Amino acid sequence: MDVDLLRPGTVPISPDTILWFEFLLNPSLLYEYLSKPLPDPSPTDLMIKFMTINFEQRENDVKAIEADPNEPKQSTPHKWSLKNLALKILSLKVAAYLKWDLDTLETKLPLPLQISLLQDLFYIATDNVVEIPMIPDFSRDAMIDQVLFTVVLYYRWHLRAIVYKSLNNRQAKQPFIHIPGIQETTYIPPGLTDDIIRKLETYLPNTINALNEILELNDMKPKVLSFETFVMLTEDSTECKQNWENMYSISADEFKCQIHYDLAVFYLLREDYQSAKRHVAGAQELFRKFDTSRPLIYCTIKKEYLDGYCLACDIPVENIKPDLMQQMHASIKDQYTNIVQVLQADNVTREIPQVYRDNLELDIQGGMVNRTITVARDLLIQIQCLNLVRKVLENEILLGDYIAEIKAAGTKGLNTLFWAFGNIVERATEIDKKQISRFLLYLVLSGDIDGLASKILEDVNFRGLFNENELLEVMREAEQKGVEIPDLLMDNEWGIQPVTYTQNSRMDIGSLEQRIILSYNPHEIRELLIRLASLNPRNPLWRLNNCWELPIPLQSVAMSLPRGLLQDYSYVLLAKSRELVTSKDFVGAKEMLNVLEREAQLLVAGGNSLILKLCQLVAWEVLLIEILHCLYVWPASEVCDMQTLVGKCKQCLGALQATDQVIPRQEIIEYCTIFLLNMAEWDYLTSIEKRWSYSEFAAAVSSVCQDIVKYKGSRKFSREAWDMILVVFGPSQQSQKRSSSGSSANSASRDAVIAITGALSRLREPTALTVATSLLARLHNVLRDESSLELHAQYLNLWPATVPNANSYNTRTIGECLFQLLTQALKYYPSNISWLKLMADLNFVLGFHESAMKYYLEATMVASDLFRQPVPRTQIDDLVYRRMIKCCTHLQCYTQATVLCQFLDEVDYALAFKMISSDQKSCAAADAMDAYYHCIWDTTILEFLIHLHTKRGEHHRKQLAIKVIGLLELNSNNNEEIQREAANIRKATFLRALAKQYVY
């Protein structure tokens, strides 16, 4: 340390150390010390020491100095001790050495010491004791050089102090120092700075007006106080006089440039952009005149900062071109002028984040719909196509995006699409070209846009994107979408007998076989089989296709028929019927079997029992197709007569009891049983003989459904359904012992597992689905045994609460099965609030918090009729809201969680304050923080927000919270109806915002 800042004599010091009072004794020592490369302590630390040394002063031994009595005074002169006045001059000399750089002074000196320094400067320069901010008025035209410099420095400091406090609200840790005028204080109180700033705000208009008046002065010749201007006192000094002739002369341009700059920064802080632009332009114009080869004496402006302010105020800067982001905002401000050119350039450079481009598209679309903006008609489709290009290049396009918009625009949409891609194709990289070709090929093959393939083939640049195989696909699509070719040209049978020089029977057989495989016309298939049989093929005709497989009962009957047309025809039609069922063409499949049944009935007159059996089996297959069709289009009932189908199912199950009828195969019996369960034929199912596992499960579920309807869930159900579910999800069958024959010792249990899991996937009736979901949810809760992660569904308490050997069950499998069952149930009944909440609970338990929020909100939407009515507490209770809060917390959406805390019956302030105080960066990034303030109606939460933002120095957010809390409808003196209506409006607004984020 070069200078000992402690009291001399307290500790041994080095001979080279300078004591502070040596600067008073030797005036030249200060300049020598400050001229060192890295003096320790720094100049500003030295100033702090000079201004905070506290001497015991006594009237009888203090030598005081007054200002020159011959000079005019505006106020009663203050008496200073000789030592104190000399220390003040030392601190001013250090400030002059630093060239009065306010950037350094305001960052290194505490605010009270800055005020003390300026007050000392006023006293030395004007012989007046001032109390900042209450400085006297000085005549602008008649101010002498030192007064002009002092006043302007103070005005500049006034503006910068407010700016610095706003941008650096958190007070830095200050050293233990004494502040003049504050008795027995060893540190700067936290509230002292705020009090000073509030006083400065009061006198702000005077400062701004004074600086603007100074800028208007034309004959100004400013000077700057130098290090030599201040004359040190000696022990023989009787008056305080400074060398005002020893000052630096500077140009008026340099002086005004700094004033313009400080005013511009202040106006930018206050968001007065017109005034800021005027002063930034003035500062830029003057700054250009300076000779950059020599340093400036007074002006401390950094060119890069000035250029940044110019760009912020939309002022052109030499050699600096605004980036595309700035150009886009400027275009939006100028009614979207040149916005297309900006997006075209961005497709090359990809500077603008995609979210800004998406928002731009939505703003223009909304403005055109609401007629709030006036733009060209083609602007929206152009922006949509340019955004499509950007997403294709970055591989973020979703299949189907923008296709509807382009098709709706017709030929103009297709031309715009190629125009958008054409601007990037020539400059695209190989990877980009690959992305473009893949997307265009997808559009071509999907056939969504007419004329696309032809358009690609017409342009050489686009043709070059595809390889030979891809071009063949494009050409094939273009031919199909081209001009319709007359049937005469497509038909090669013009009545001219073809001349065949070589005939090959194997080729004819292969051609007929291929036509049989491809045909689904029963009459055509019959004719082809007859023609093929005449050629004596080597293999049986029912073996034409290896994929034709029939269930064993059908195959057995078909193979038992006499060798001939009926056998081949029956097998082929049965196989093709199953193919059509697989492709969901139930009408075509049923027609196939009806034709076969009519064909077989023509031969029944002969009394052939085998053909009678075939007819009955075909009738059962028709019944199965009708059931499958009905389940596929559920809940639509116009495809078939439900009551007739119920009668057929009962007849089918009745055939199991008779001994003289053909027994349907097991798959048909299962579907008949499930169909009757879905048609609420519970009395019938509970009365039939339970010889099969699927009939047992259907009977058990039917019994529970009867109890629900009869007793409204007021008594416990039978345990049959519960025991069957335990068998399904119990210990793995593979772990069970096997018998000596190698077969499973519990094959019946395995059959039950297969039957019950299949039955669950085919349930459609709401009551049956409720029972199944209740069973699985109860089992999941019992096995998991965590109260905070329970699933909530109807009739849970009516099932047993314990499971033997619980560790042997696979909870994950149960959860997956329940998830599939709920997905199936919501597909057919998407407005069931209970199932929506159960699906949300399941996602919450599994840790899928975003999906949980989606289903909770969907349940809320249904309960409130899309938020047009208040959310009923009977359906959406505190448990749902608390889980939504936890989901938001896991997603780091703390402000959303805070707003949801108000939805509780009793607002959870502790939780709300914890959410508000969470990580500010995470909060702002995840849910936009202050964007939800207008959804808060609880004044206690708003008051905490205001306090928190004041503490953090977040002025803008604090003002938003203050604006919200000041709304008339949130006044606590309002009656309950007004308060309730204000809360309901904000609830609906907030829930709509959440739905837009999580649901849509």
Side-chain angles (χ1 to χ4, degrees), residues 681-745:
E681 296 290 332
W682 301 324
D683 293 337
Y684 176 82
L685 291 175
T686 55
S687 63
I688 64 174
E689 184 179 355
K690 304 176 183 58
R691 295 165 53 187
W692 295 271
S693 55
Y694 38 83
S695 60
E696 292 179 1
F697 181 72
V701 174
S702 298
S703 176
V704 175
C705 293
Q706 286 178 320
D707 290 343
I708 289 177
V709 174
K710 184 176 182 180
Y711 301 104
K712 306 300 181 183
S714 59
R715 71 183 186 91
K716 289 189 178 293
F717 305 144
S718 61
R719 292 179 56 99
E720 295 179 5
W722 175 262
D723 293 338
M724 291 181 185
I725 289 294
L726 293 183
V727 171
V728 173
F729 298 103
S732 176
Q733 300 296 328
Q734 297 177 357
S735 63
Q736 296 183 6
K737 296 181 180 180
R738 294 182 175 272
S739 62
S740 58
S741 62
S743 61
S744 173

Side-chain angles (χ1 to χ4, degrees), residues 111 115 133 165 189-202:
L111 186 61
I115 295 176
K165 180 63 172 64
L192 179 60
T193 301
D194 295 335
D195 294 339
I196 294 172
I197 294 298
R198 279 195 291 270
K199 291 180 181 179
L200 292 175
E201 290 275 4
T202 306

